[in-house]
Structures are given as structure tokens and as C-alpha cells.
Amino acid sequence: MEQNSAHAQVLQPMRCGSWPSPVTANLVAGKSLTLSEVRATGQSVFWLERRPAEGGRTALMRWTEPEGVSEVLPAQADVGTRAHEYGGGAYAVAPQGVVYADRRTAQVWLLASGGTAPRLLAGADGVRFADLRFDGAGNTVLAVREDHRPVGEPHGALVALGGAMPPDGLVLQSGADFYMSPTCSPDGALLAWIEWDHPNMPWDSTRLCMGRIVRGADGAILGLDDVQVLAGAAGGESLVEPRWTADGRLLIISDRSELWRVWEVVRQPAPHLVAYALPEGEIGQPVWVFGQSSYQPLADGGCVVLSVRDGEGQCFVRAASGQVQSFAGHPDQCPVALADGRFAWVQAPADALPAVVVGTAVQGVQQVLCRAAVLDLPKADISCPESVRFAVDGMDGQPGHAFFYPPASRHACVPEGEKPPMIVLVHGGPTARAQDGFSFKVQWWTSRGFAVLDVNYGGSTGFGRSWRNRLQGQWGVVDVADCVAACQHMIATGRVDPKRIAIRGSSAGGMTVLLALAVSDLFAAGVSLYGVTDLRALAQETHKFEARYLDGLVGPWPAAEDVYVARSPLSVASHIKAPVLLLQGTEDKVVPPAQAHAMAQALRAAGAPCTLHEFPGEGHGFRKEATIRQAWEMELAFYGKVFGFEPAPPADA
């Protein structure tokens, strides 16, 4: 028997999957918050809390030293936006107040500093706003508008909101298919932004643009003139996250040197970029949502940066002198500066639940403002990630990457002579990445006796443009091959049971799951959450943001229709023999429910065991407490039937 030296406790050999776990469905679904989008103004810290127990409502919270933590907005407010369907950038803060978009009404509201109730700033039927930013020279709000009123695809535009402007905003710039990141220079004279057109995605090719702001006598924004493209006019370069420094310099992230890195925009005599000296690593992320932050210029001329190196996140501060020091914490997003020189961030270490914290770059966390849950999991129940490298094809020796998590429990251990079952995680996007911070989607399984392998397959972020581009024209091929190669590597190490491997994924990851089941007999079961099953239908039915995404991942539509057919899980359903669980929201606009219905029918016709469960009112990603709880419990029970174990009774039953 194994001994747990930390607790001087004899571990009980138990069948994997049946271990008692403190990571309960209630904890994951209703008692844990999703913390995101930390902002600061002066000495006030703001963040968003998504609350499954309130139907997935997102609340805006504020902390100040004298007053502590409080909810900022009325109880019915649900901060969010459906622009690009994925949203983001739904609120902004400044000394003059808070501006936010309400997910339920799509209206934009302003709560002035010292005010007691928000007032309506903008809103019109069929219009969505995102990427809200204050104009530094006044109370005007800058935003990206997605207008669904025209026939056909919605129209994108940069707009100004407030004052005597129209309820649907004053259009400052239009004509491109997409806009993002409007950011005003400190003196209020210039506006920079990102734009791009079909068939590109923002990680493929964008343009950095700038215009001079025209103002009226009262300082109100009237429009833009002298609009120019500063970078990206030739195409083939991903430019994201423009930021102004306090002294009026413009910074930008570009992948022109293979990795996304920070560059300074020099505007004279002709616009060009100059590298901004920073340590190695990829600084940037695919902008599926608005309002992301990978770096922040500091008032003293320095910069705080979040990057990825060898698959692992790292944070550091570059002083104005150029000296670089590591940030003594585990930020999940780029820290934001307070007026006194401290920082606020979402702390996400591998061995503790996320929390919103305040601290310094040198000392790390000094004060916890809010935790994702009140439960402190014992260290013995938490599995920490191990970086795994494995051989992949077509990268001239560059290995693949995954995080491996062994089972962990303070009560149980794998029976002698056995090896644990393994669950392979396939992230979505497919441009997302496996991350090394604490995650319930991992600990739910490891605390019950499963090993977990979280794969950064070709296409994942954090390894440079060439790694992302491995998926160009090869979606459904490279991702599947990398997941299989990662599994074969773990089998070769002797750490997992080769006969008890399951694979699960959501959205794009769900498609990879189904294709992997069709081409490999390594997997004994598969779970697809709102996964793509019919590429032709996706190309014709999905929303504007992704309407041409498949041109790059698969081939031009409809010219490459035969490839779309061949790569669709529906076409290879007859090759799937392993049991499949499909989980789907009825209101999904990204991958409509018809795709799950068709896949379930095809699997059953082929004789494969298949269960399809739909959740009423859920979209692309589950938000409600009851849905999240039921989905986790259903998946655990599904593996119990496949692998022959009885899940332990819930600890909070």
C-alpha cells in the first residue's frame, strides 16, 4: 500500500472512478464562481462574477480598501454581450463611472461616479455593443457595434455612445467586416483600432488603423478624419491589442516574427514597427472574445506582460529602464495596476481555486478579495500538471505538448497491479490551449481516480504562428493525429491503462473527439459537448464571426465541398464502435442542435451505443447551475457503465 506522508494516512486501494471526491457536482455547478475581466481605476478594483446559481447571471463587483467588496449594479443586471456570439468587453471603468452592456436587453448603461442608479446610454432593437471603452477626454463611450437590422450578415462598425448621439451610436468607422479594440490616445486626439475582413480570422490577418478624432466646441466626438492603416495592409499578419502608453506611444502585438510579441508603432517618417524588448515567449491570444488583455503599459513607462513559453503561462514586469523581473504570482489574465503601484489579478495556481487578489510583483498575493468557492481543497486531493512532450509529424523535430495529471486523493489509491484509466481533454477553438492553472474540468476526474491528459494539438495558441498554421487545411487530421500520438506516448510510459482511455471535448474539440473515435481504436469511449458534426451545415448556418473560418481550416466553400464531407464526423459515423455521449444546448447558435440530432441518428443506425441529451435554454457553453450539475453527473455515470465502476455517493448529498 502507498502512504500519504503529508497526512500520515494509509490510502485505501479502490476501483478507479469510484473514489470519494470533495469536488462535487454542487461545488462545480452552483457554489463556484467564474471570475474574469479584472479592471481598476484609482484604488478601486472591479471584476465579473458569473453565478450558475442565478441562472448564469454575471454580476459586476467592486472592492475598495475602506468599503470592502460589494456588487455595483442592480440585482437584475446581467453584464454581457452577444456580439460575435462569444461576447467580451462588456464593461469599462474610469474615474467618471462604469459603463456596461446588459446581456438580456443588449442595452448599454452608464453608472456615473457617485450615482445611485444607472441611466440608459444606448440601445436599439437588433443592435449589439461590445468592447466598451471610455474616451479619455470626456464621458463619451467608444464601442464596437454589431448591427443585425440589415438583411444578410450583420454589419460591424466603430461607434461613439452618449450625450446627444443616436441610440444606436454615432458611426465613426465602417466598411470592414469586423472591428475590435477601439483605444483612445491619452490626449484624446487619436483613435486606434483593429479591423479585418472575410475570410480571415483575427489570428490570421488584421489591420492596425488610426484616425484623428474630430470634436465639437463642447468636446463631444463628431467623427474621424485622416484615417490610415499603420500596419497589416499587405495581409498575412495578426495584429491585436493596441495600447497607448502614458506618454502617447502606441504599442501593438504582432506575430510578424513567428510568435505574437509586443512592438512599438513609430509613425514618422512612415509608419513602421520596432520590436519592444521582452523575454522569450508568446504574448497574445486568439481574440475569440472582446476585451482580452495580454499586456498593460504602466504609468511609469514600464509594462506588465502575460506570456506562454513551452506551454506554460508566465508573467513578468518590464521596468522603464528595460530591466525585467518575474511576477510573483500565478495570474490568469494580465494584472492591472492600482494608483498606489500594487496590482489586481485573477490568481490561478495549479493547486488552489481561482481568486481575485491584490498584491505586488515582488511579494505576490497580499490580499484575497474574492474566491471562486469557499471550499479549500486539501493539497492531497489536487493533481498538479506535468509537462509532456511527444513526437508529431511535420514540425522538423518540434515536439507536441500536453499536460498530464495523475490521479490524486488523500483517501484512495490505484489498486496494486492496475494502472489508472485516462481521460483525454480536447480544448475548443481550435485555437485555445491547455492551461496549467487549477481547473475543475481536470480535478473532477483526477480526484475520482482518473488520469487526465490535456493536449495542445496543432492549432493551439502559445507555440507560434507555424504551430497554429499546422491546422490550416488540416482540421480533423492534425488535431486527431496529435491526440492519438499523445495517448500513445502515455501508454509507452506505462502510466495509464491502454484499455481504459476516454476522450472528451466541446465545440471544435467535440469534432476532434468524434473523428478520433472513428480513426483509432485507442479510445474506449467519447463525450462531445455541443460538438461540430457536419462541416457543410456549419459553413452554411453559423454566425458571421465564423462564417468563413472553415475556408482556412478545411478549404474554400463550396469549392472544397468534397473535403467538407470527408472530414465531417457524420460521414465516418459508421466507423465508430465505442460508446458516445452527446450533450447539447437547444439554443446553440454556433453549432445548432440539428448537428447533434443528425450525429445521434447516424451512430444509432451504425449500431454504436449513443446517448444524446439536450438542455433547454442553453447555448454554446452551459451557464445554468442545474445544467452544469447534470452534465457532470451524466458524464461520470457514462464512464461508470463503460469502465465498470459505481461512482461514489456525492459528498454533499
Side-chain angles (χ1 to χ4, degrees):
M1 289 186 183
E2 299 179 33
Q3 296 286 331
N4 185 326
S5 58
H7 295 268
Q9 177 180 342
V10 176
L11 301 182
Q12 180 67 37
M14 297 182 67
R15 187 160 183 79
C16 294
S18 65
W19 296 4
S21 170
V23 184
T24 65
N26 282 339
L27 172 65
V28 175
K31 296 180 181 177
S32 61
L33 308 170
T34 299
L35 307 172
S36 64
E37 295 195 41
V38 175
R39 308 271 191 262
T41 180
Q43 290 294 99
S44 298
V45 179
F46 297 79
W47 68 92
L48 296 180
E49 288 183 3
R50 193 175 75 196
R51 301 171 174 175
E54 297 182 25
R57 183 177 81 91
T58 298
L60 178 61
M61 309 301 293
R62 176 176 56 207
W63 170 88
T64 63
E65 199 91 60
E67 298 177 0
V69 174
S70 61
E71 186 168 350
V72 179
L73 306 173
Q76 71 272 17
D78 184 9
V79 181
T81 171
R82 289 183 56 207
H84 289 187
E85 296 301 331
Y86 298 105
Y91 88 100
V93 297
Q96 53 264 52
V98 175
V99 62
Y100 70 96
D102 191 284
R103 187 188 313 275
R104 296 168 183 170
T105 65
Q107 295 171 327
V108 176
W109 296 77
L110 175 66
L111 177 62
S113 294
T116 57
R119 64 177 178 85
L120 184 62
L121 196 67
D125 290 342
V127 174
R128 303 172 184 176
F129 300 99
D131 232 353
L132 305 176
R133 317 281 179 103
F134 277 100
D135 162 26
N139 288 322
T140 303
V141 172
L142 303 166
V144 172
R145 187 183 75 183
E146 188 177 72
D147 190 348
H148 291 252
R149 294 172 296 185
V151 176
E153 284 190 335
H155 293 180
L158 290 179
V159 297
L161 311 176
M165 295 173 185
D168 58 354
L170 172 68
V171 175
L172 303 178
Q173 191 72 9
S174 63
D177 287 323
F178 302 98
Y179 292 91
M180 186 170 278
S181 305
T183 177
C184 191
S185 61
D187 61 2
L190 301 171
L191 180 68
W193 67 89
I194 299 296
E195 64 180 39
W196 71 97
D197 297 309
H198 284 316
N200 294 303
M201 298 300 285
W203 45 89
D204 295 326
S205 184
T206 61
R207 298 181 294 274
L208 169 65
C209 301
M210 187 181 71
R212 188 167 300 278
I213 298 174
V214 179
R215 298 182 183 274
D218 59 354
I221 295 178
L222 302 179
L224 294 176
D225 67 9
D226 192 24
V227 172
Q228 59 181 314
V229 177
L230 298 180
E237 178 179 8
S238 175
L239 298 138
V240 294
E241 296 191 37
R243 303 265 190 271
W244 294 93
T245 64
D247 60 0
R249 292 175 295 125
L250 180 60
L251 304 180
I252 188 69
I253 290 176
S254 168
D255 66 355
R256 60 173 52 188
S257 62
E258 172 60 23
L259 297 174
W260 270 317
R261 305 285 292 165
V262 179
W263 300 72
E264 181 177 343
V265 182
V266 178
R267 302 198 296 274
Q268 299 295 335
H272 61 284
L273 304 189
V274 176
Y276 192 75
L278 292 169
E280 288 299 316
E282 181 154 63
I283 302 162
Q285 50 196 318
V287 286
W288 284 94
V289 298
F290 297 95
Q292 292 183 162
S293 179
S294 304
Y295 75 110
Q296 288 288 341
L298 302 176
D300 63 2
C303 188
V304 59
V305 178
L306 192 66
S307 72
V308 180
R309 186 175 185 183
D310 296 329
E312 299 184 15
Q314 58 183 3
C315 186
F316 50 85
V317 176
R318 179 188 185 273
S321 64
Q323 183 181 1
V324 175
Q325 68 176 41
S326 295
F327 196 97
H330 301 275
D332 188 45
Q333 64 157 51
C334 188
V336 296
L338 277 64
D340 64 3
R342 292 183 296 169
F343 294 91
W345 69 93
V346 174
Q347 173 82 346
D351 58 355
L353 277 70
V356 177
V357 302
V358 167
T360 71
V362 175
Q363 296 179 322
V365 178
Q366 295 177 322
Q367 187 170 356
V368 176
L369 311 186
C370 174
R371 298 184 187 275
V374 295
L375 176 67
D376 279 330
L377 293 176
K379 298 292 185 183
D381 284 326
I382 298 175
S383 180
C384 291
E386 306 170 16
S387 272
V388 171
R389 291 293 192 173
F390 55 93
V392 297
D393 293 331
M395 284 301 293
D396 296 324
Q398 181 180 348
H401 179 269
F403 287 114
F404 176 75
Y405 298 80
S409 172
R410 69 187 190 278
H411 297 299
C413 65
V414 180
E416 187 175 352
E418 289 190 18
K419 295 171 183 175
M422 183 171 73
I423 296 178
V424 179
L425 304 185
V426 188
H427 64 67
T431 61
R433 70 178 180 94
Q435 301 191 49
D436 51 349
F438 182 94
S439 171
F440 278 127
K441 76 176 182 181
V442 171
Q443 305 301 328
W444 170 271
W445 304 114
T446 56
S447 63
R448 286 171 166 79
F450 291 89
V452 168
L453 187 67
D454 202 356
V455 184
N456 273 314
Y457 54 83
S460 303
T461 294
F463 304 88
R465 188 179 184 98
S466 295
W467 188 263
R468 289 202 311 276
N469 284 349
R470 288 183 67 221
L471 219 56
Q472 289 295 97
Q474 295 295 307
W475 189 30
V477 178
V478 163
D479 48 327
V480 172
D482 285 2
C483 288
V484 170
C487 284
Q488 290 171 332
H489 174 81
M490 294 312 304
I491 293 170
T493 65
R495 300 186 67 181
V496 300
D497 185 344
K499 295 183 179 180
R500 293 189 293 169
I501 299 177
I503 184 169
R504 75 182 303 273
S506 58
S507 190
M511 187 185 94
T512 302
V513 164
L514 297 170
L515 291 174
L517 293 172
V519 304
S520 174
D521 59 4
L522 280 176
F523 306 106
V527 177
S528 171
L529 296 87
Y530 37 91
V532 176
T533 69
D534 184 348
L535 289 171
R536 288 186 301 177
L538 185 66
Q540 297 174 75
E541 297 173 357
T542 197
H543 57 117
K544 179 186 177 182
F545 180 63
E546 294 181 77
R548 301 290 300 278
Y549 189 18
L550 300 189
D551 283 28
L553 290 176
V554 182
W557 174 262
E561 184 174 5
D562 57 336
V563 182
Y564 281 70
V565 173
R567 297 269 183 84
S568 294
L570 272 175
S571 299
V572 295
S574 61
H575 297 291
I576 297 176
K577 306 303 179 187
V580 178
L581 174 64
L582 303 173
L583 303 176
Q584 178 70 40
T586 62
E587 302 302 317
D588 195 335
K589 305 301 183 186
V590 178
V591 181
Q595 295 220 10
H597 297 166
M599 191 68 196
Q601 183 177 355
L603 287 169
R604 291 164 183 159
C610 175
T611 300
L612 166 62
H613 188 88
E614 295 184 272
F615 296 96
E618 291 286 7
H620 199 67
F622 301 150
R623 297 173 56 87
K624 300 177 183 177
E625 177 182 4
T627 300
I628 298 169
R629 180 192 301 113
Q630 188 176 2
W632 283 109
E633 291 176 338
M634 286 185 68
E635 188 172 348
L636 179 61
F638 170 72
Y639 293 139
K641 291 181 180 178
V642 174
F643 295 136
F645 66 83
E646 186 70 30
D652 53 2

